[in-house]
Amino acid sequence: MTKIERFEIFDRALFWKEKKILIVGDMHLGYEEYLNERGWSFPRTQLETSLEIFENIFRETGKVKKIIFLGDMKHYFAGVLKQEFREFYSVVEMCRKNLEKNGEIVIIKGNHDNILEPILARENFDFIRLVDSIIVGDVLFIHGAKKDFVKLEIFDSKIKLVVIGHFHPAIAIERDTKKEKYKCFLFGKSKELKKNMIIVPSFFPLVEGTDILHRSLLEDRIDISRFKVFILSGEETLDFGQINKLKR
């Protein structure tokens, strides 16, 4: 089992075994409906695939005390699509069944979640908290959009590690004449924040993400060139070393 800091990697999620907390990156529920409305034809398989991934993860972790979603649960900015309602309830039900008694789901508001409250208001989700960020021990969990890096808690001296989503890190690898892209985790010390950081890949299956070899700054301020890359390849997680060495 590959570990980053105190976390174990389970597929595209992190598991904090000591505290029984599962950390999940951007879901972007409703993405297929959003594309279909714009004339793109995609089979709606994202939910089924995501639920299968969750099943596999919970088979390994067992029931957990807390599930932290790192933001962008939904995709559509301007409202709530029907697919977003349906998929949200399916994901929440899957997670609820795998919570311990009195466990909770924490959703950190992402930049795509500006209208998430109507979804939560339709049911009695007393086990769900919607927050801007959450601190557990010396770890700060935030979404990672530009506004998050000016929050006061990120500069609190007790915070040793910052875990974020938002950036959908991936890496493109050429093999013979073929070029393939893989989701990846990033880990390193931010000289700007003076904190260790973990950047979690997106959870949703349709898009692998943004090739980190073509960007060295996050939100024009966080230098990731010396961060380590952990690539998800099938059932394996591969340590590829530092980003700056991969660019040579």
Side-chain angles (χ1 to χ4, degrees):
M1 180 63 63
T2 304
K3 292 192 73 172
I4 303 178
E5 247 261 3
R6 64 204 73 181
F7 301 99
E8 297 176 358
I9 295 177
F10 281 87
D11 201 293
R12 57 204 64 190
L14 292 175
F15 183 52
W16 193 348
K17 189 174 182 179
E18 178 191 359
K19 296 190 177 292
K20 301 183 80 171
I21 298 175
L22 185 72
I23 297 95
V24 179
D26 302 35
M27 295 290 300
H28 286 273
L29 301 174
Y31 187 64
E32 293 135 316
E33 185 176 352
Y34 171 81
L35 293 176
N36 289 340
E37 286 194 349
R38 277 146 188 79
W40 295 83
S41 180
F42 277 90
R44 299 192 180 190
T45 59
Q46 175 173 285
L47 176 63
E48 183 181 350
T49 304
S50 294
L51 293 178
E52 286 176 3
I53 295 169
F54 273 120
E55 275 186 3
N56 292 335
I57 290 171
F58 288 127
R59 195 175 295 121
E60 294 290 327
T61 64
K63 291 195 173 186
V64 299
K65 290 182 179 178
K66 193 189 303 287
I67 301 170
I68 298 175
F69 287 94
L70 294 173
D72 286 357
M73 280 292 286
K74 61 189 289 298
H75 183 77
Y76 188 50
F77 281 104
V80 183
L81 300 175
K82 289 180 181 178
Q83 187 184 359
E84 290 176 332
F85 274 115
R86 292 193 301 270
E87 294 191 353
F88 182 82
Y89 296 138
S90 296
V91 169
V92 163
E93 180 59 18
M94 163 68 75
C95 292
R96 185 193 63 78
K97 287 192 291 190
N98 289 281
L99 285 174
E100 292 186 348
K101 187 178 179 181
N102 299 321
E104 68 170 349
I105 294 172
V106 177
I107 300 175
I108 296 170
K109 252 185 133 170
N111 52 301
H112 281 254
D113 297 325
N114 55 327
I115 312 179
L116 190 59
E117 286 85 351
I119 300 180
L120 295 175
R122 285 184 59 166
E123 300 284 344
N124 180 25
F125 290 132
D126 57 351
F127 56 94
I128 298 178
R129 273 199 291 154
L130 183 62
V131 300
D132 290 325
S133 62
I134 181 172
I135 296 172
V136 181
D138 60 357
V139 183
L140 170 66
F141 299 91
I142 58 176
H143 177 56
K146 187 173 288 190
K147 62 181 176 59
D148 291 327
F149 291 112
V150 297
K151 291 177 179 175
L152 291 178
E153 63 262 34
I154 207 167
F155 300 104
D156 190 325
S157 60
K158 79 174 184 180
I159 300 300
K160 306 300 181 189
L161 176 65
V162 181
V163 180
I164 67 175
H166 183 59
F167 296 100
H168 306 184
I171 187 168
I173 298 174
E174 291 190 35
R175 292 178 178 173
D176 300 322
T177 58
K178 221 163 73 168
K179 193 172 188 178
E180 294 186 61
K181 195 185 281 187
Y182 299 89
K183 292 180 185 290
C184 64
F185 291 85
L186 303 180
F187 172 66
K189 178 78 174 279
S190 165
K191 61 186 178 184
E192 296 84 6
L193 299 179
K194 297 180 174 57
K195 316 278 186 187
N196 284 332
M197 292 184 71
I198 299 175
I199 304 167
V200 178
S202 61
F203 197 90
F204 76 118
L206 259 184
V207 180
E208 296 303 338
T210 302
D211 188 356
I212 48 92
L213 295 181
H214 295 297
R215 65 191 305 175
S216 57
L217 292 176
L218 300 183
E219 298 291 15
D220 301 321
R221 65 181 70 202
I222 306 296
D223 181 1
I224 60 169
S225 61
R226 294 182 180 274
F227 280 31
K228 291 184 72 174
V229 181
F230 296 86
I231 294 176
L232 305 180
S233 176
E235 295 182 1
E236 290 185 292
T237 305
L238 307 174
D239 183 345
F240 262 51
Q242 289 185 354
I243 293 173
N244 57 351
K245 292 179 181 177
L246 293 173
K247 289 184 176 183
R248 291 176 185 172

